[in-house]
Amino acid sequence: MKYPCIITCLLCFLCSVFSTEVEAWQTDENIIFGVHSKTAPLEWRNNGVDQGFHLELMSRIGQMTGKRIIVRRKTFQQLLADVNDDTSSIDVIAVVSPVTIDRQLSQSDPIYATHAKAYTLQGKEFIHGWHDLAGKRVAIKKGAFVDVYITGQPQGFVRVDVDLYETGFMQLIAGEVDIVLAENFVARRLMPHYPSIRSSSDPLIYGAFNFVSNSKNARLMAEINDALRQLKLSGEYDRLVNKWFGTGREKVDLSNTQQRLLWAATLVSIISALGMLLTGYISHSLKKRTHALNLELAQRKRAEHQISRLSQQFQSVLDGIPHGVTLFNRDCVSLWSNDNNNELLSSSDFHFINGDIFQLNKTLIQVLDSQTSLIADMAYRTQFWQLQIHPIGNDQAVILLEEATEQHNLRQANDEASRLASLGELSAGIAHEINNPTGIIIHAIAFFNHALKDLQQATDAYGKQNPFWLIAGLEPQLAMTELNQSSLTVEEGAKRISHIVKDLKRYALPKVTTEHQLLDLNEVVKVSQRLTANQTKIFRLNIQLNEPAPMIMGDAQQLHQVLINLIQNACHASKPATGDDSDCDTITIETNISGNRGCLTIRDTGAGMDSTTLQRITEPFFTTRRSCGGSGLGLSVCSRIIKEHMAEMQFSSRLGQGTKIKIQFLSVPDSIKALKLSSLEQDT
């Protein structure tokens, strides 16, 4: 009696399906559904059959609205063009829209949520937010919801447009981009094919799938929304979601799986039928055994699912940590690692910040024997790291590596700022205390010079009356010559002190906004060259001025001071001509335009500087010419003037090969904008 019932049910089911198909084909109205994705479980083709969540949902909506669904597959860019074209045959497509931004086209209620994240190569740093994208090359799929989201917003990264997310992944492997911002479902499909790529951020953009159509189909979109809401209210939408997304994995080959399950079910049914025909006892035993096995299998699946979920969560957390984490045993064997920067531990360039050699084996044994954690600052080439070794029991220890280059540089900058601030305050006090007595000396020595001129005649007359008269044990004429020379020496020394005091006062003064004007950089060079002509005449001077002349915003007098100081330093470092011009050093001054920025370069072929001197040349009071009267304030004042002009001064030098100083000024529009911002900050 059971078999006729089963056959009857199958016939009824086939009839209902057939009648439904007939009704669909007899419908006068069609909905052309544009499909582009190859991403399971949304929409893809398997063995020539279109399937997926979007396709089944749209098919069900077509049944409810009495319309026939016709699938058309095109590229993503073609579908975007069609849906914006009122004359196109495409009626509806499924796309992702950011949750905070609506597309201009007519779109349905949200269908299913998704998100986009950053993807990088294995071992690269974790992306904590949009600020970590600054300065990086980021691949964006043209027209995708990531493109829609960032369009019109400020971007601190270099955008690289691609036609497909897969193109972005290939460019990432080739080193043409640093990061790919990709939609979750597509990235999950692609990552098994690109094992060197990993997910490197939490969701940066949240979006939702929507059905989208152009304005001519507003009535059609209203019908789709009504059908979609009915499906949600009836619970059929939840059934579809559970069918396509319930397992939490992509369904790449669902048709083959269904076929295998169908064959397996058929085989089981045949075996069961034979068993039922052979003996009821065997049937009863099989049922009991099957029930027990099903219970055990269900329990194992639940346990495996929980273990797998916890393992994936734990692994994703460890992989997401940008710092190196490694577990070692006493024999220095790595038991586990997240493979982030752990190659430093075996590098000979990795050492303690005080210069002591780092030996992993020795340090690890010391920590385990003492059972005391070690936290130390380390250096690796130009980077700085923090090393932490924590014992776990007597035989294992965990090593944590965290890059601390930025923190180290900030500490150094803070120490430098504090030291310079102290020097500034000290300079102001010294300048004030020295200035008054220096002025008195200069005033007095001027009086002595006039007095000596007047006393010369009296000395001559008295010397004739008294031939044996001496001044300080010297003959009158010799004594007057010595007095004149001493007076000139004192005056020159006092003026030197006054000049140093002026430099100190300028260095110690707070920043004062100067009225910058439009300047010809070539004219600044010509004026400075004329003022230093007496010093440069004994050298080979090469002046190369760009035409048209670079135009900058600045203060001409201050820039003359900077260039004169740099020319004088080049003269001090160069060898003058001794008779043959080929035997002297060359000083080159040139201007040029790089991009839209004016550049000034001063080069000499003189003595050059070592790296230690090069790092300190802009420090106040640092000089290599102390014995020759250098005060060490010239370049520090120049550096301050250049900073006030919002320009950059770059030094490069090698011993015996000369020195090059390059100054880059902002373009005129950027300079004006920066001056306005600086003025606004001071007013505030």
Side-chain angles (χ1 to χ4, degrees):
M1 295 296 293
K2 293 182 179 180
Y3 294 107
C5 294
I6 295 173
I7 294 172
T8 302
C9 292
L10 289 173
L11 289 174
C12 292
F13 174 75
L14 292 174
C15 290
S16 63
V17 171
F18 180 76
S19 62
T20 301
E21 291 295 321
V22 170
E23 290 174 3
W25 281 91
Q26 291 175 349
T27 303
D28 293 331
E29 293 185 73
N30 299 326
I31 299 178
I32 308 300
F33 183 41
V35 174
H36 74 93
S37 177
K38 297 180 181 178
T39 305
L42 299 173
E43 50 199 38
W44 86 105
R45 178 177 292 172
N46 186 44
N47 296 329
V49 178
D50 290 317
Q51 50 190 297
F53 175 75
H54 288 159
L55 291 163
E56 187 169 347
L57 181 60
M58 179 53 74
S59 176
R60 188 68 186 92
I61 290 173
Q63 293 175 9
M64 296 178 67
T65 57
K67 292 179 174 59
R68 177 188 172 201
I69 305 300
I70 299 177
V71 176
R72 292 286 183 269
R73 288 194 173 271
K74 295 186 178 183
T75 65
F76 181 70
Q77 283 72 23
Q78 288 174 335
L79 289 176
L80 286 179
D82 284 344
V83 82
N84 282 281
D85 184 5
D86 291 342
T87 64
S88 170
S89 61
I90 297 297
D91 295 319
V92 178
I93 65 172
V95 294
V96 183
S97 294
V99 295
T100 58
I101 301 175
D102 290 330
R103 293 181 181 267
Q104 299 300 319
L105 301 171
S106 177
Q107 62 184 35
S108 70
D109 294 340
I111 300 173
Y112 197 77
T114 184
H115 59 267
K117 300 193 295 186
Y119 294 85
T120 64
L121 294 176
Q122 295 284 355
K124 296 297 182 180
E125 65 272 17
F126 190 79
I127 304 301
H128 296 280
W130 288 97
H131 58 277
D132 286 343
L133 302 181
K136 293 183 170 57
R137 299 167 297 172
V138 182
I140 305 294
K141 179 181 177 182
K142 189 64 177 176
F145 89 112
V146 178
D147 183 15
V148 174
Y149 178 83
I150 66 173
T151 298
Q153 297 191 26
Q155 302 170 15
F157 54 83
V158 179
R159 171 176 173 159
V160 180
D161 289 334
V162 295
D163 57 340
L164 297 170
Y165 287 123
E166 189 166 8
T167 304
F169 275 34
M170 287 189 279
Q171 291 185 1
L172 181 61
I173 293 175
E176 298 174 5
V177 298
D178 304 311
I179 294 171
V180 178
L181 287 184
E183 190 266 332
N184 177 49
F185 284 112
V186 180
R188 288 172 57 190
R189 175 181 64 85
L190 293 176
M191 287 180 68
H193 303 290
Y194 299 92
S196 61
I197 295 177
R198 70 159 185 163
S199 168
S200 298
S201 76
D202 292 327
L204 298 176
I205 308 172
Y206 290 93
F209 284 98
N210 302 84
F211 291 129
V212 174
S213 181
N214 53 42
S215 57
K216 73 173 184 178
N217 290 324
R219 183 181 61 83
L220 174 61
M221 189 55 66
E223 294 179 10
I224 290 175
N225 271 332
D226 289 339
L228 184 59
R229 291 163 190 163
Q230 292 180 34
L231 289 172
K232 290 181 178 180
L233 291 175
S234 66
E236 189 169 355
Y237 171 86
D238 293 335
R239 180 187 65 78
L240 290 177
V241 169
N242 185 62
K243 173 182 176 181
W244 293 103
F245 302 101
T247 61
R249 296 187 296 271
E250 294 183 9
K251 305 184 176 192
V252 179
D253 197 6
L254 185 62
S255 295
N256 290 338
T257 302
Q258 291 175 338
Q259 291 176 3
R260 288 195 297 270
L261 290 175
L262 179 60
W263 282 107
T266 303
L267 181 60
V268 170
S269 299
I270 293 173
I271 294 174
S272 300
L274 292 174
M276 290 174 62
L277 293 174
L278 292 174
T279 174
Y281 172 77
I282 296 177
S283 176
H284 180 68
S285 299
L286 287 174
K287 287 181 180 179
K288 289 179 61 177
R289 182 60 177 166
T290 302
H291 181 68
L293 288 174
N294 287 337
L295 289 176
E296 183 180 354
L297 182 61
Q299 292 175 352
R300 288 186 179 182
K301 285 185 176 180
R302 284 195 296 270
E304 289 175 358
H305 179 69
Q306 292 177 352
I307 293 172
S308 175
R309 184 180 62 183
L310 291 175
S311 176
Q312 290 176 358
Q313 290 175 347
F314 181 69
Q315 188 65 42
S316 64
V317 169
L318 292 175
D319 289 341
I321 297 175
H323 315 309
V325 182
T326 308
L327 184 64
F328 284 97
N329 62 12
R330 183 176 284 273
D331 297 327
C332 204
V333 176
S334 175
L335 304 179
W336 181 90
S337 174
N338 67 350
D339 297 327
N340 284 342
N341 306 308
N342 292 317
E343 68 278 0
L344 299 181
L345 299 174
S346 57
S347 174
S348 59
D349 294 332
F350 190 65
H351 56 83
F352 290 98
I353 199 169
N354 60 4
D356 293 344
I357 298 174
F358 173 74
Q359 296 179 350
L360 178 60
N361 293 1
K362 180 180 178 181
T363 307
L364 190 63
I365 294 298
Q366 289 176 351
V367 170
L368 289 175
D369 289 344
S370 64
Q371 287 295 297
T372 303
S373 297
L374 171 68
I375 301 177
D377 292 328
M378 312 295 291
Y380 175 74
R381 297 177 183 173
T382 59
Q383 298 176 334
F384 296 92
W385 296 77
Q386 185 182 73
L387 172 71
Q388 298 185 37
I389 306 179
H390 302 284
I392 303 176
N394 295 322
D395 297 319
Q396 294 182 2
V398 63
I399 297 183
L400 307 177
L401 270 177
E402 179 180 359
E403 186 176 1
T405 304
E406 184 176 355
Q407 294 89 326
H408 180 83
N409 293 337
L410 286 174
R411 285 198 299 269
Q412 282 191 330
N414 183 59
D415 294 342
E416 179 75 8
S418 300
R419 186 162 63 88
L420 292 179
S422 300
L423 285 175
E425 294 178 3
L426 179 62
S427 300
I430 293 174
H432 180 74
E433 294 297 329
I434 294 177
N435 200 37
N436 289 336
T438 302
I440 295 173
I441 292 173
I442 293 174
H443 179 74
I445 204 65
F447 175 75
F448 291 160
N449 287 334
H450 290 297
L452 286 172
K453 291 179 181 178
D454 295 336
L455 289 173
Q456 182 66 48
Q457 296 178 356
T459 301
D460 294 339
Y462 189 73
K464 292 177 181 179
Q465 296 177 10
N466 185 4
F468 301 101
W469 178 51
L470 300 177
I471 301 176
L474 299 175
E475 294 181 0
Q477 291 300 327
L478 180 60
M480 292 301 293
T481 301
E482 288 293 330
L483 284 172
N484 283 321
Q485 185 64 34
S486 298
S487 176
L488 291 174
T489 302
V490 171
E491 183 178 14
E492 181 180 353
K495 289 181 178 179
R496 176 70 177 169
I497 293 173
S498 178
H499 179 71
I500 293 174
V501 168
K502 288 180 181 179
D503 284 345
L504 281 170
K505 291 175 70 177
R506 175 168 181 80
Y507 176 78
L509 281 174
K511 181 177 177 181
V512 178
T513 302
T514 307
E515 190 67 31
H516 289 183
Q517 298 177 346
L518 188 64
L519 299 178
D520 182 334
L521 193 55
N522 289 352
E523 188 62 28
V524 173
V525 173
K526 293 175 183 177
V527 172
S528 302
Q529 189 270 331
R530 287 197 298 269
L531 294 175
T532 57
N534 190 53
Q535 294 174 279
T536 58
K537 65 184 179 182
I538 58 176
F539 301 96
R540 205 170 22 238
L541 185 63
N542 181 19
I543 298 180
Q544 301 174 7
L545 302 179
N546 189 84
E547 292 296 341
M551 303 303 294
I552 63 172
M553 294 295 295
D555 183 282
Q557 185 176 2
Q558 290 183 341
L559 294 179
H560 292 157
Q561 179 180 354
V562 171
L563 188 52
I564 290 171
N565 191 285
L566 296 179
I567 294 174
Q568 289 175 341
N569 286 348
C571 292
H572 292 318
S574 301
K575 180 174 64 175
T578 57
D580 184 3
D581 288 345
S582 63
D583 195 32
C584 68
D585 286 323
T586 300
I587 299 174
T588 302
I589 306 173
E590 62 178 300
T591 62
N592 58 71
I593 299 175
S594 177
N596 58 350
R597 304 177 69 179
C599 297
L600 172 64
T601 304
I602 303 97
R603 280 196 308 273
D604 65 73
T605 59
M609 296 176 282
D610 57 26
S611 59
T612 302
T613 303
L614 192 61
Q615 291 176 357
R616 301 187 60 193
I617 55 176
T618 58
E619 291 184 12
F621 308 113
F622 175 78
T623 178
T624 58
R625 299 181 58 256
R626 185 75 67 189
S627 60
C628 302
S631 65
L633 289 170
L635 281 178
S636 65
V637 173
C638 289
S639 177
R640 175 172 175 173
I641 292 173
I642 293 301
K643 289 179 180 178
E644 289 175 355
H645 282 71
M646 288 158 287
E648 297 177 357
M649 184 162 58
Q650 301 171 350
F651 296 86
S652 59
S653 181
R654 295 187 66 180
L655 281 175
Q657 299 184 17
T659 300
K660 174 182 176 182
I661 303 175
K662 183 176 182 180
I663 303 175
Q664 282 189 313
F665 297 89
L666 289 175
S667 63
V668 172
D670 290 342
S671 181
I672 294 174
K673 183 177 179 181
L675 286 171
K676 289 181 178 179
L677 289 174
S678 177
S679 176
L680 181 61
E681 290 176 358
Q682 291 185 357
D683 292 342
T684 304

